Each structure stands twice: as structure tokens, then as C-alpha cells.
Amino acid sequence: MTASKTQGPLIVGIGGTLRPNSSTERALRYCLAAVERQGGRTKLYCGKDLDLPMYSPHELERTPKAAELVRALRDADAVVVASPGYHGSVSGLIKNALDYIEDLREDQRVYLDNTPWGCITCAYGWQASVGTLNHLRSIGHALRAWPTPLGVAINSADRIWDENGELTDMTIKSQLELLATQLVTFAPPARGTE
């Protein structure tokens, strides 16, 4: 988990895979960097941060990593989720992390009620990427969040990263920057604490 020290709404990013620097993680990092350039604060949970025990609503004990994720989501002014498309849907790693939002069911703000919810997906082909994006948006609705008007679907079959892992596709860059703008703009005044 990494966090910025600037002021502004707190945008929590969840995503990637257990493979460090996956394309999904890179897209999420790019979006969160754009959030910071626009004055938002960020917390990022990816890779090993999300290697959590399977969520069990009847087991009240939480690992330190799971408890930290739940605290961050409780404080979030907006959330952005990035998932690879595995077999036409959200990866198990991401879905399990999102299941921990159930711990917010008795909060004053139930789940993520009225919270902006950004979605990014990466898959090898448009069908899986767009299908996964639709699943993420549905999950956001189920958690009482509202998906941002723009969701970013990335076809990993296209060459959008250079050999150093830098984003070179101008269309994807502009989409991730617009998603960041929507997250910062639609987030309520900062309510979370670092």
C-alpha cells in the first residue's frame, strides 16, 4: 500500500494481479498519478496487498492487511478498481478484496453508498475487457456506489506500453486522465483521514 501526502479527496485504488507491474496495475497507477496531479490524495492496494484470506462474513478476525484495506475503504471519498479480465469476468483476487466491503454493512455510510466508483479493465481482447468492465460496474451498483460515466477498457493485445512499461497510447492516456478527473470532481469534500 502506498499513500500520497497532498490534500484533497481520498481516492482508494484497488487492482492488479499478483504479478508485480502487471498492465492492470500500471493502468491503475497511471490513473492514481493523474488524481494526485489534480489535487487528490491516493492510497493504492495492489498485488501482495490483496493476497488476503478468502472473505468469510462469519469470521470476525481480520488479518492486518485486510483490516487496513477495510479502514481505507471506510475513509474513501471515491474508489477506483482495476481488474484483469479472467475468463470473461473480474479476477478472483479482485473479487475477494471487494468482498471485504461487506464489513462496512453497519457503518453510517452503508457499504460505499453514494461513492464514486471508477472502473479499469485489461484483457487480451475487447470482448473480455468490456465484459469485465460491465461486471465491475454491476459490483459497484450492488455496493451502492455509482460508477463514473467513463469506464476504461484496455485491450492488452494492442501495444500500449513501451519496453520500459511506460504508457504510450494517447487514447488510453486521455481516458485514464478523464477517469481521474471524474473521480476527483465527483468525490464529496474530503472526509477521510490519513
Side-chain angles (χ1 to χ4, degrees), residues 80-149:
V80 57
V81 182
S83 178
Y86 286 175
H87 309 292
S89 189
V90 177
S91 73
L93 180 76
I94 300 305
K95 181 61 171 75
N96 186 55
L98 296 177
D99 285 345
Y100 278 87
I101 297 172
E102 181 65 20
D103 285 3
L104 307 180
R105 69 186 170 275
E106 295 180 13
D107 284 16
Q108 183 175 353
R109 176 184 73 179
V110 179
Y111 301 125
L112 295 172
D113 189 42
N114 208 30
T115 302
W117 174 269
C119 302
I120 302 168
T121 59
C122 293
Y124 202 81
W126 287 113
Q127 182 175 349
S129 186
V130 172
T132 302
L133 182 67
N134 288 333
H135 287 215
L136 271 183
R137 292 169 87 73
S138 293
I139 291 168
H141 283 294
L143 293 170
R144 302 186 187 183
W146 54 274
T148 56

Side-chain angles (χ1 to χ4, degrees), residues 8-178:
L10 175 62
I11 315 301
V12 173
I14 299 172
T17 70
L18 290 176
R19 182 174 55 87
N21 205 29
S22 67
S23 58
T24 309
E25 181 181 322
R26 282 182 280 173
L28 179 59
R29 285 182 184 277
Y30 188 93
C31 182
L32 290 177
V35 164
E36 290 178 1
R37 287 191 299 274
Q38 296 177 41
R41 296 176 295 138
T42 64
K43 285 190 176 181
L44 170 64
Y45 295 87
C46 61
K48 292 191 178 192
D49 300 326
L50 302 177
D51 192 6
L52 306 170
M54 289 300 295
Y55 179 75
S56 172
H58 307 294
E59 176 59 52
L60 300 180
E61 288 289 318
R62 296 288 175 248
T63 64
K65 286 193 299 188
E68 166 60 25
L69 176 63
V70 170
R71 275 192 301 276
L73 288 164
R74 183 171 280 127
D75 290 340
D77 299 306
V79 176
V80 57
V81 182
S83 178
Y86 286 175
H87 309 292
S89 189
V90 177
S91 73
L93 180 76
I94 300 305
K95 181 61 171 75
N96 186 55
L98 296 177
D99 285 345
Y100 278 87
I101 297 172
E102 181 65 20
D103 285 3
L104 307 180
R105 69 186 170 275
E106 295 180 13
D107 284 16
Q108 183 175 353
R109 176 184 73 179
V110 179
Y111 301 125
L112 295 172
D113 189 42
N114 208 30
T115 302
W117 174 269
C119 302
I120 302 168
T121 59
C122 293
Y124 202 81
W126 287 113
Q127 182 175 349
S129 186
V130 172
T132 302
L133 182 67
N134 288 333
H135 287 215
L136 271 183
R137 292 169 87 73
S138 293
I139 291 168
H141 283 294
L143 293 170
R144 302 186 187 183
W146 54 274
T148 56
L150 178 68
V152 181
I154 298 171
N155 181 354
S156 298
D158 293 341
R159 183 168 167 79
I160 64 168
W161 309 97
D162 69 15
E163 57 279 349
N164 298 318
E166 297 297 318
L167 184 57
T168 58
D169 186 289
M170 293 308 293
T171 300
I172 299 299
K173 275 186 177 185
S174 65
Q175 288 178 356
L176 291 171
E177 288 168 8
L178 179 55

